[in-house]
Amino acid sequence: TEESRIDLTKKAKAEAENGRIAIRNVRRDALTAMKNLEKEGELTKDDISDSEKDIQDITTKFIDQVDSSLASKEKDLLTI
């Protein structure tokens, strides 16, 4: 029924948000690890700034994939 499809859509949105949170947590962990390496003298500030940009680009790419998958799934669920 339409009601169950709407409920499934809500669950899909919740799972997509969980995916986005997991991706952001990985980004945070990577940035923290880099800052620790900087403190130990293994990375320079230039290395970190370059890597931060790369990490952000990768994060954005994967979050966009989650969003497009969600949009596709919502379309599938709401189509009769």
Side-chain angles (χ1 to χ4, degrees), residues 10-37:
K10 287 179 184 177
K11 288 179 183 177
K13 286 180 182 179
E15 288 301 318
E17 183 59 26
N18 289 339
R20 286 187 211 91
I21 290 169
I23 292 167
R24 289 191 299 263
N25 287 341
V26 170
R27 176 188 62 195
R28 184 193 67 225
D29 294 345
L31 294 175
T32 302
M34 283 192 322
K35 291 194 191 286
N36 288 339
L37 288 173

Side-chain angles (χ1 to χ4, degrees), residues 5 8-17 20 62-79:
R5 287 193 300 269
L8 288 172
T9 302
K10 287 179 184 177
K11 288 179 183 177
K13 286 180 182 179
E15 288 301 318
E17 183 59 26
R20 286 187 211 91
F62 280 103
I63 287 178
D64 289 344
Q65 285 180 356
V66 168
D67 291 341
S68 66
S69 295
L70 174 62
S72 173
K73 183 51 85 176
E74 283 180 323
K75 183 180 172 187
D76 288 347
L77 288 171
L78 295 177
T79 301

Side-chain angles (χ1 to χ4, degrees), residues 33-64:
M34 283 192 322
K35 291 194 191 286
N36 288 339
L37 288 173
E38 180 188 22
K39 287 178 185 174
E40 295 170 7
E42 295 183 32
L43 288 178
T44 64
K45 288 186 186 250
D46 290 338
D47 291 336
I48 289 183
S49 64
D50 292 343
S51 297
E52 283 178 347
K53 184 181 180 309
D54 292 341
I55 290 170
Q56 184 58 47
D57 291 343
I58 292 168
T59 301
T60 303
K61 182 180 89 170
F62 280 103
I63 287 178
D64 289 344

